[in-house]
């Protein structure tokens, strides 16, 4: 199983950016998908997660600015980031809790991370 994230880059404060992540491989079922980020010198933190039925949870710092969505048929999760601030800078990691094969158990998988830099 692999998670491939894309969409990072440099963006000006107040601007927008979209991230995408695709899960591939021997996947039986995906429960929760989400995005986490890690700023320099800080611990990795939750940004947003979404369940298979579409229930979302956001960090307080991004609520109202970021929108998470997923396509269950394509095993993808996206994050639309608006009104970006310098404090949104960091490496963004996609995450999925999934069962890799029938009869297996849920495990957590991580993507490789994509850098988002917001310039002020």
């Amino acid at each position: 199983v692999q998670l491939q994230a894309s969409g990072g880059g440099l963006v000006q404060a107040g601007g927008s950016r979209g991230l995408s992540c695709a899960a591939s491989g021997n996947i039986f079922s995906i429960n929760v998908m989400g995005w986490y980020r890690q700023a320099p010198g800080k611990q990795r933190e939750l940004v947003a997660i979404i369940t298979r039925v579409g229930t979302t949870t956001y960090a307080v710092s991004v609520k109202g600015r970021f929108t998470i969505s997923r396509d269950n048929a394509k095993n993808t999760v996206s994050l639309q980031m608006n009104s970006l601030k310098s404090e949104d800078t960091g490496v963004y990691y996609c995450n999925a809790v999934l069962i890799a094969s029938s009869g297996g158990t849920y495990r957590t998988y991580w993507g490789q991370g994509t850098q988002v830099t917001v310039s002020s």
Side-chain angles (χ1 to χ4, degrees):
V1 175
Q2 288 188 328
L3 272 64
Q4 183 69 42
S6 61
L10 177 65
V11 62
Q12 287 190 334
S16 299
R17 195 81 178 184
L19 303 180
S20 295
C21 177
S24 62
N26 184 22
I27 298 171
F28 177 72
S29 175
I30 301 178
N31 185 4
V32 179
M33 301 187 82
W35 292 93
Y36 291 71
R37 69 186 179 191
Q38 187 166 18
K42 295 187 177 182
Q43 290 188 332
R44 191 175 299 186
E45 63 176 1
L46 179 147
V47 176
I49 56 174
I50 183 169
T51 69
R52 183 171 183 82
V53 297
T55 302
T56 58
T57 301
Y58 293 93
V60 172
S61 60
V62 308
K63 208 167 188 178
R65 301 187 296 121
F66 290 12
T67 301
I68 189 171
S69 60
R70 67 187 277 178
D71 185 328
N72 291 331
K74 296 180 180 179
N75 291 336
T76 59
V77 61
S78 299
L79 185 70
Q80 179 61 39
M81 305 181 290
N82 299 327
S83 302
L84 282 161
K85 305 176 181 179
S86 57
E87 50 262 46
D88 294 318
T89 294
V91 178
Y92 283 69
Y93 297 90
C94 63
N95 163 286
V97 180
L98 59 89
I99 296 175
S101 61
S102 177
T105 59
Y106 281 108
R107 290 182 56 193
T108 299
Y109 293 82
W110 292 92
Q112 83 284 9
T114 184
Q115 175 73 42
V116 174
T117 302
V118 182
S119 63
S120 55

